[in-house]
Amino acid sequence: MSDSAREPLLSQHNGSHHQNHRHQQPRRPKIKFGFTVNDLAPLTDPTNPKLPRDIGGIDKICDGLHVNPKEGLKSDEGGDGLGSSDQPKFEERSQQFGNNILPTVKSATFWELVLKAYNDRTLILLSIAAVVSLLVSFYEDYGPHHKPGQPRVGWVEGTAILVAVAAVVFTNAINDYQKERQFRKLNAKKDDRNVKLLRDGREQEVNVKEIQVGDVMLLEPGDLLPVDGLVLKSHNITCDESSATGETDALKKDTEEKCYIISGSKVLDGSGTMVVTAVGRNSFFGKTMMAMRETTPEETPLQIKLDVLAESIAKLGMAAAIAMLVTLVIKYVVQHSLADDFPTRSAIFSAMVRITIQAITIVVVAVPEGLPMAVTLALAYATTQMLKDNNLVRVLAACETMGNATTVCSDKTGTLTQNKMTVVEGTLSLLSFHNMDDAKNWKKEAKPEIVQAIVEGIALNSSAFEDKDEKGNMAFVGSKTESALLGFIKNLGYSYSTIRAETVVSKAYPFSSAKKTMTTVVATPNGPDKYRVYTKGASEIVLRACTHYVDSKGEVRSFNDESRAKFDQIISSYADQALRTIALSYRDVSSSDFKSFKDEEPPNKELVCLGVVGIQDPLRPGVVESVRDFAKAGVTVRMITGDNIQTARAIARNAGILTKGGLAMTGPEFRVLSKQEQIETLKRLQVLARSSPTDKTVIVGRLQELGEVVAMTGDGTNDGPALKMADVGFSMGITGTEVAKEASAIVLMDDNFSSILKALMWGRAVNDSVRKFLQFQLTVNITAVVLSFISAVASENGESVLSAVQLLWVNLIMDTLAALALATEPPSKEVLKRQPTSRSAPLINVSMWKMIIGQAIFQISINLALLHYGAQLFHLLDKDGKLSEHNELVLSTMIFNTFVFLQVFNELNCRRIDDTLNVFKNLHNNKIFILVQVIVIGFQYVIVEYGGKAFKTTPLTGQQWLITVLVGSLSLPVGLVLRLLPTEYIPETVVSHKSEAHEPLVDTTRLGWQGAINHVAQQSSLFEAIRKDKHGHHPKDDKETTANLWKRYLPHRSHGEENNAPGSSSNV
């Protein structure tokens, strides 16, 4: 550090006068850095590999950052060098480039969550209705018109509504609070994690929070890198950037063009050093995390529909109230105009107040006070049950949004696949196996000496090893290919460490990207020859170096044209499945041959081929079945990955994502399209390979513009922005990065793609539960409103059929219990047999309206009929034809009992919101529904038999109970008739007949035909190419095959149209 740079540091101890002077004058910068944060920001872009060279090279970057690459930063940079400074370490550096700490997200307080939960139109409407109800009830209970002996219970309804609102608000707030705490606990950072830095010329362990731009970090296998940087020194450094970029291939790093280190990546192999260029919010990881925090969640489809419904109910309630007010005023005026004596002003005022109260009561009765409770219960129950299905729901509303998802955009690596390269197929000693269970059978069939040679070759000719990962689990560290091979022999029951301990390695030739092979020479003192050479690598290169092979009997044979063609065919078949093919070989050599080996050039000649294995990142268990179920449910699964197009297409075909007529293309090809072309392409796009994080967000945005409800799954940092932007974001709880979890609405605790299907089922169950309850609630409310209206207009004293307390039982307790019963039905596989519901579809469909209006008309008719003719029907009249006061109470009780049992049986009807006739289906699976019905019937019995004056009831005889229950049970046959009633008979002006199912972007049948047409067209082109070849074209290679002709003559499928080319895995 220069003297001029040190001078201000020394001057800060010159006394208090100078201290005051420093506050008066601008402080000179102590260190003038050669770069700003913006200058260093592009140093993570792999598409610009020459940038470090363009800005002067790594040496100039280090000079600009005031760091010696061989010594690292000086620990006294922020002090005076005497150890007596009160200035923090690296203060100027931190001010210039920031700290390696992301700003903490301000967590909402509990009361803020309460306020957020209350900010709902329906809840506000209910609150207004409750306050009005309380004011009216106080006037009625304590006003001049209160009858002596009547209980003052009017306040109960308004209070009960407020209690229901409070219950909903606090339930939602507590749920959100607990979910957030649970998530924070799940995703807590390991703040005590240390990294190795070079400071003051020596190696030091420093907390990740203390890393500075300019620090020299030491890189070792297994390191999870928390910052961005440039490689200073590399000894075969290989990094896994799959969690950050989606690139599954391990990336070699050097000090030239491949020098970028991205935060969030992991060192697989090699060692070296790097200079830190970005920390905290300026790093790749930090930028992604901060970008997600800026987005704001939108209202869910169900919330929007409920808001519209609340407004509609409020308007209808007001219309009914105004109609009642006008009718009763006209009736009052006409009646008293025709009477002999016109009432006094005080009597008129009192009558008008009473009429106004009745009109206001209509509004209160019309409000569906149980609806928010039903939504809350449905979501709370679903999220609790989903946790058992390994879905941690962070955002409550995401649960119901998922029910209407139309597209699942899934990352490949770690989501559909296991993010763990595995040997999935192989032909060793010309004996094949197709999975690991099959490999164990191969071990039994193959000659033991050959098995031993293969196992030893894999164990010894490898630099990978097994160690604990950051979660404490044992995992292989090193090249993904070598880890897959070591995993293969481990599954066969062998220990690589034991083999290595028992064997002496004489020479090692590390893997070279130029030669694409790795060779190890080991001593074999007990063998006929003293040394053995093991070579593995790219199959075509190793095979070229082989002169012999091992056959199925374990005998060594010389290669001829036929045997080479057979191996070529094996390699080609694996390549068609996008498997990475690795050939294994060996050669025994004498001591004299060993002495002739050069240190730089591996002895890859005259090798004996042991066989070929196919390595792939395999699909997660259950993915194929889940994709098939998604298709049945009308949900399109699209794969968006950073991997290459061949691998992506093969994995998508195996998973059932890429179908005939579908498109598979790359990100660069997609990016050059215009917006309109992108939208048209998306309709058939099923696979996007080599995608960037921007591509993912663009696709999510374009799909949302097309009216799709998009679910996005992913586990990497690169998935963060798209996860946040999607309607529902899913992250992986085990392999997912912190960025992905922070961005997601639901965390898959078991990392299983199949759990997303369960989330879809629960989401649809929530939507169905809300609609079931709405169907039940509106039937009760319409019936209550119309009965109140008719009885108030028709009767002389303006009293309702049901007393206020009886209405309280029906409107509140029944609603709450009904919400519990209908909102807790677990989903069945049947919910996957229908298309998603459109965003624009009404909350109440035609079948629901049939049931609501039909049941309301039936119940109103029954109640009015019993009111006027019940005395005669139930033989309650005296001998002189009059109704005694006791029998009048009996009739009132029977009407009340009938009304309640009409609701009990109608609740069974409401278990179905379509025209399915069997309302008892799967009833045994919903124990809560059965329990609620038992509780309701039990309470009803108590109220009728012991309610007395409070409920205006009297005990009924067994016969009267039987009659009322039978009349109530008529709801079931009426429901059956309503379901059988053809929808087309209902006028379009009354109820819209428009289908509620989401219209897919492209018809699957049409897509299949398109694929078939393309297949025929390309086959025709192939035959034409072969015909031309026979009539004059002479291929350069006489052995050119039909598949080669296909590749040479047919147009390159730049858009990857899936049409089953010869050699593809889906070609039957």
Side-chain angles (χ1 to χ4, degrees):
M1 189 179 293
S2 65
D3 294 337
S4 60
R6 284 190 180 276
E7 194 174 329
L9 290 171
L10 295 170
S11 66
Q12 66 182 322
H13 294 285
N14 290 345
S16 59
H17 172 75
H18 183 68
Q19 188 75 14
N20 294 334
H21 181 68
R22 283 168 56 198
H23 288 290
Q24 295 167 7
Q25 291 186 349
R27 185 175 174 184
R28 286 189 303 157
K30 297 171 186 173
I31 305 174
K32 188 174 182 180
F33 294 101
F35 298 97
T36 64
V37 169
N38 293 334
D39 293 334
L40 299 175
L43 292 175
T44 54
D45 184 4
T47 63
N48 194 359
K50 295 181 181 179
L51 184 62
R53 191 190 310 160
D54 294 342
I55 60 177
I58 290 180
D59 288 339
K60 187 173 179 181
I61 292 171
C62 289
D63 288 341
L65 296 176
H66 293 277
V67 60
N68 184 333
K70 295 180 181 178
E71 296 184 2
L73 295 179
K74 294 184 181 295
S75 297
D76 62 353
E77 181 180 285
D80 58 2
L82 303 174
S84 57
S85 172
D86 60 353
Q87 191 173 348
K89 277 185 180 182
F90 309 113
E91 184 179 29
E92 266 103 20
R93 195 173 289 273
S94 298
Q95 288 174 354
Q96 178 83 352
F97 301 108
N99 293 311
N100 195 34
I101 301 171
L102 290 178
T104 54
V105 183
K106 183 182 177 295
S107 299
T109 64
F110 178 73
W111 293 108
E112 285 173 339
L113 291 173
V114 168
L115 191 62
K116 180 185 173 185
Y118 183 69
N119 189 21
D120 178 89
R121 292 183 191 180
T122 308
L123 293 177
I124 293 168
L125 177 65
L126 279 172
S127 302
I128 294 169
V131 171
V132 171
S133 176
L134 282 172
L135 294 173
V136 168
S137 64
F138 282 131
Y139 177 83
E140 283 188 323
D141 285 347
Y142 299 98
H145 301 286
H146 182 73
K147 295 179 182 178
Q150 287 288 334
R152 290 184 171 89
V153 291
W155 58 272
V156 175
E157 176 133 7
T159 305
I161 294 175
L162 286 177
V163 169
V165 169
V168 169
V169 169
F170 280 96
T171 300
N172 281 334
I174 291 168
N175 208 332
D176 286 343
Y177 189 69
Q178 287 179 337
K179 294 289 180 194
E180 191 60 23
R181 284 185 63 187
Q182 190 174 7
F183 174 72
R184 293 295 168 200
K185 187 177 178 181
L186 168 79
N187 204 31
K189 286 185 180 179
K190 294 182 179 178
D191 293 330
D192 56 346
R193 185 162 73 92
N194 291 341
V195 294
K196 291 179 181 178
L197 301 178
L198 195 64
R199 283 185 180 174
D200 302 319
R202 59 189 176 85
E203 184 181 311
Q204 299 181 25
E205 284 205 358
V206 177
N207 191 282
V208 288
K209 291 181 178 180
E210 298 174 18
I211 302 173
Q212 300 290 327
V213 168
D215 259 320
V216 176
M217 182 182 290
L218 305 181
L219 305 177
E220 295 176 349
D223 285 352
L224 189 63
L225 303 174
V227 291
D228 297 339
L230 298 174
V231 175
L232 292 173
K233 193 191 303 179
S234 173
H235 295 292
N236 202 31
I237 292 177
T238 309
C239 287
D240 173 13
E241 295 180 356
S242 60
S243 68
T245 64
E247 173 60 68
T248 54
D249 291 338
L251 301 176
K252 293 278 185 184
K253 299 295 177 180
D254 56 36
T255 56
E256 300 300 325
E257 294 189 354
K258 299 176 182 177
C259 59
Y260 297 139
I261 299 288
I262 298 176
S263 50
S265 58
K266 184 177 183 178
V267 180
L268 293 179
D269 197 9
S271 61
T273 58
M274 78 172 198
V275 60
V276 177
T277 57
V279 297
R281 64 192 304 164
N282 300 316
S283 66
F284 181 88
F285 173 91
K287 285 176 184 174
T288 309
M289 185 71 95
M290 297 307 295
M292 293 179 317
R293 293 181 183 177
E294 294 167 9
T295 56
T296 52
E298 297 180 357
E299 280 191 312
T300 66
L302 182 61
Q303 285 173 329
I304 294 169
K305 291 174 183 178
L306 287 173
D307 287 344
V308 171
L309 180 69
E311 285 185 10
S312 302
I313 289 173
K315 289 174 183 176
L316 289 171
M318 285 300 295
I322 292 168
M324 179 179 248
L325 182 68
V326 171
T327 305
L328 290 178
V329 167
I330 292 172
K331 177 186 174 184
Y332 181 84
V333 171
V334 170
Q335 277 183 338
H336 289 88
S337 296
L338 297 174
D340 296 333
D341 298 323
F342 201 76
T344 61
R345 287 183 181 179
S346 61
I348 293 173
F349 175 77
S350 181
M352 290 301 111
V353 169
R354 181 173 52 80
I355 289 170
T356 305
I357 288 170
Q358 285 178 312
I360 291 171
T361 305
I362 285 288
V363 180
V364 176
V365 171
V367 174
E369 61 270 21
L371 186 56
M373 179 66 78
V375 175
T376 301
L377 279 173
L379 288 172
Y381 179 73
T383 52
T384 305
Q385 296 302 309
M386 283 172 73
L387 194 55
K388 295 178 182 177
D389 287 337
N390 296 305
N391 285 282
L392 172 62
V393 181
R394 293 188 58 226
V395 181
L396 210 60
C399 180
E400 53 92 357
T401 306
M402 186 59 202
N404 291 325
T406 58
T407 292
V408 175
C409 292
S410 176
D411 185 42
K412 178 184 77 68
T413 310
T415 308
L416 292 165
T417 64
Q418 299 175 21
N419 196 17
K420 180 183 175 184
M421 294 301 280
T422 307
V423 175
V424 292
E425 284 198 47
T427 302
L428 299 171
S429 183
L430 283 184
L431 297 170
S432 298
F433 59 88
H434 303 286
N435 52 56
M436 280 315 302
D437 290 334
D438 208 7
K440 291 174 182 175
N441 294 328
W442 164 86
K443 178 186 168 185
K444 294 175 184 175
E445 292 177 19
K447 195 173 180 180
E449 293 84 352
I450 301 302
V451 173
Q452 193 65 28
I454 290 169
V455 170
E456 285 182 0
I458 290 172
L460 299 171
N461 190 25
S462 172
S463 60
F465 60 93
E466 199 170 23
D467 198 2
K468 287 186 177 180
D469 60 14
E470 58 270 15
K471 295 182 175 68
N473 301 319
M474 294 301 292
F476 287 107
V477 178
S479 156
K480 287 189 175 183
T481 300
E482 292 188 349
S483 297
L485 290 169
L486 289 181
F488 171 66
I489 63 171
K490 184 179 180 180
N491 286 329
L492 290 178
Y494 295 95
S495 169
Y496 80 94
S497 56
T498 304
I499 296 170
R500 287 181 186 178
E502 295 172 350
T503 311
V504 177
V505 174
S506 303
K507 272 186 184 294
Y509 300 88
F511 178 83
S512 164
S513 55
K515 295 183 175 62
K516 294 188 177 178
T517 61
M518 179 176 181
T519 302
T520 301
V521 184
V522 299
T524 54
N526 299 326
D529 294 299
K530 297 299 180 183
Y531 296 93
R532 175 170 282 186
V533 177
Y534 287 112
T535 299
K536 72 167 188 286
S539 53
E540 65 278 5
I541 291 174
V542 173
L543 203 61
R544 204 179 300 144
C546 292
T547 56
H548 296 75
Y549 70 96
V550 179
D551 67 8
S552 57
K553 295 179 181 178
E555 303 293 333
V556 177
R557 305 276 184 189
S558 296
F559 264 124
N560 56 28
D561 290 346
E562 186 181 345
S563 55
R564 282 195 182 276
K566 187 166 189 176
F567 273 94
D568 286 339
Q569 187 181 3
I570 291 167
I571 294 168
S572 179
S573 68
Y574 289 168
D576 285 340
Q577 300 172 58
L579 302 183
R580 184 182 298 170
T581 55
I582 303 294
L584 306 174
S585 64
Y586 80 100
R587 170 189 166 201
D588 289 324
V589 296
S590 63
S591 299
S592 58
D593 288 337
F594 172 74
K595 289 175 184 177
S596 66
F597 291 167
K598 297 177 182 177
D599 291 338
E600 300 81 20
E601 191 68 27
N604 294 347
K605 60 181 182 179
E606 299 179 3
L607 299 173
V608 179
C609 181
L610 290 165
V612 179
V613 292
I615 296 174
Q616 189 183 58
D617 185 6
L619 290 171
R620 289 183 175 277
V623 165
V624 176
E625 294 78 6
S626 296
V627 170
R628 193 183 302 128
D629 286 339
F630 272 122
K632 288 178 186 174
V635 180
T636 304
V637 179
R638 290 178 169 87
M639 180 199 287
I640 307 175
T641 177
D643 216 333
N644 65 70
I645 185 69
Q646 291 82 9
T647 303
R649 189 186 287 125
I651 291 290
R653 264 200 303 260
N654 293 341
I657 294 172
L658 187 57
T659 58
K660 286 186 179 181
L663 289 180
M665 65 192 302
T666 64
E669 290 171 342
F670 182 77
R671 283 193 289 275
V672 298
L673 301 176
S674 66
K675 181 179 178 181
Q676 192 55 43
E677 286 173 333
Q678 286 180 347
I679 289 173
E680 286 303 312
T681 301
L682 268 177
K683 293 179 180 179
R684 292 173 56 205
L685 183 69
Q686 293 175 337
V687 177
L688 188 73
R690 290 295 179 206
S691 66
S692 68
T694 310
D695 293 332
K696 297 184 179 185
T697 52
V698 167
I699 284 177
V700 170
R702 296 281 184 266
L703 286 169
Q704 288 172 334
E705 287 173 23
L706 287 167
E708 298 283 290
V709 178
V710 185
M712 171 75 189
T713 71
D715 66 339
T717 300
N718 62 319
D719 298 322
L723 284 170
K724 196 75 173 177
M725 186 178 181
D727 296 285
V728 184
F730 288 89
S731 66
M732 303 293 151
I734 299 171
T735 59
T737 61
E738 185 185 344
V739 175
K741 292 176 189 174
E742 186 73 35
S744 63
I746 300 175
V747 180
L748 300 177
M749 304 294 284
D750 61 349
D751 284 14
N752 196 336
F753 182 80
S754 303
S755 297
I756 301 166
L757 189 70
K758 295 175 184 175
L760 176 76
M761 292 171 66
W762 274 108
R764 290 192 174 185
V766 166
N767 282 290
D768 287 355
S769 295
V770 172
R771 297 176 85 181
K772 288 172 187 177
F773 177 76
L774 194 59
Q775 180 174 284
F776 176 77
Q777 172 86 72
L778 289 181
T779 304
V780 176
N781 284 16
I782 290 173
T783 305
V785 167
V786 174
L787 279 177
S788 298
F789 187 97
I790 292 173
S791 58
V793 172
S795 68
E796 292 181 9
N797 55 9
E799 286 187 359
S800 173
V801 181
L802 303 172
S803 71
V805 184
Q806 288 174 350
L807 270 176
L808 177 66
W809 161 243
V810 172
N811 270 3
L812 294 179
I813 303 173
M814 282 283 286
D815 287 352
T816 306
L817 290 170
L820 187 61
L822 294 171
T824 55
E825 185 155 356
S828 65
K829 281 283 186 181
E830 281 190 14
V831 298
L832 298 175
K833 294 179 182 177
R834 65 170 192 258
Q835 297 295 302
T837 305
S838 168
R839 278 184 187 267
S840 58
L843 199 56
I844 306 170
N845 60 27
V846 184
S847 299
M848 291 169 68
W849 274 122
K850 275 197 305 183
M851 190 59 61
I852 291 167
I853 296 170
Q855 285 286 351
I857 292 171
F858 166 69
Q859 291 185 18
I860 291 164
S861 304
I862 285 287
N863 280 283
L864 291 177
L866 292 179
L867 182 65
H868 293 285
Y869 306 108
Q872 293 95 319
L873 287 171
F874 302 141
H875 307 291
L876 297 175
L877 296 174
D878 295 335
K879 291 180 180 178
D880 55 359
K882 291 183 179 179
L883 189 65
S884 66
E885 188 176 334
H886 172 72
N887 282 348
E888 188 176 350
L889 186 58
V890 170
L891 178 61
S892 172
T893 304
M894 289 184 75
I895 293 173
F896 168 57
N897 208 34
T898 302
F899 186 86
V900 168
F901 275 98
L902 283 168
Q903 311 316 320
V904 168
F905 286 101
N906 188 42
E907 201 166 342
L908 284 167
N909 276 323
C910 292
R911 290 188 67 246
R912 308 295 307 190
I913 51 175
D914 51 17
D915 286 332
T916 304
L917 300 180
N918 185 5
V919 296
F920 297 99
K921 192 173 184 179
N922 294 323
L923 181 62
H924 61 282
N925 291 332
N926 193 358
K927 294 179 174 60
I928 296 177
F929 184 94
I930 298 169
L931 180 64
V932 166
Q933 298 308 313
V934 171
I935 291 170
V936 168
I937 292 169
F939 268 105
Q940 181 64 17
Y941 178 81
V942 172
I943 288 168
V944 168
E945 295 298 317
Y946 308 104
K949 290 184 179 179
F951 283 89
K952 294 185 179 177
T953 59
T954 188
L956 299 177
T957 64
Q959 185 182 15
Q960 289 167 340
W961 267 101
L962 183 62
I963 291 169
T964 53
V965 171
L966 286 174
V967 173
S969 68
L970 291 176
S971 283
L972 287 176
V974 169
L976 182 66
V977 171
L978 290 171
R979 285 193 169 87
L980 292 171
L981 181 69
T983 305
E984 54 268 22
Y985 290 169
I986 303 173
E988 187 82 26
T989 51
V990 177
V991 179
S992 173
H993 292 187
K994 185 180 176 182
S995 172
E996 65 176 5
H998 171 78
E999 193 71 32
L1001 295 178
V1002 61
D1003 184 69
T1004 50
T1005 306
R1006 183 182 169 188
L1007 197 66
W1009 276 108
Q1010 184 70 43
I1013 292 167
N1014 292 333
H1015 179 48
V1016 171
Q1018 291 205 358
Q1019 290 282 10
S1020 300
S1021 299
L1022 173 64
F1023 295 139
E1024 181 66 18
I1026 295 170
R1027 188 183 65 78
K1028 285 181 180 179
D1029 183 71
K1030 287 182 177 180
H1031 289 81
H1033 175 76
H1034 298 285
K1036 296 177 183 178
D1037 184 357
D1038 291 337
K1039 294 180 183 177
E1040 186 165 30
T1041 61
T1042 302
N1044 291 333
L1045 282 170
W1046 173 276
K1047 292 173 185 174
R1048 180 154 57 83
Y1049 281 104
L1050 295 189
H1052 175 62
R1053 287 183 291 166
S1054 61
H1055 282 203
E1057 190 143 0
E1058 179 58 19
N1059 44 32
N1060 293 339
S1064 70
S1065 61
S1066 58
N1067 191 43
V1068 180

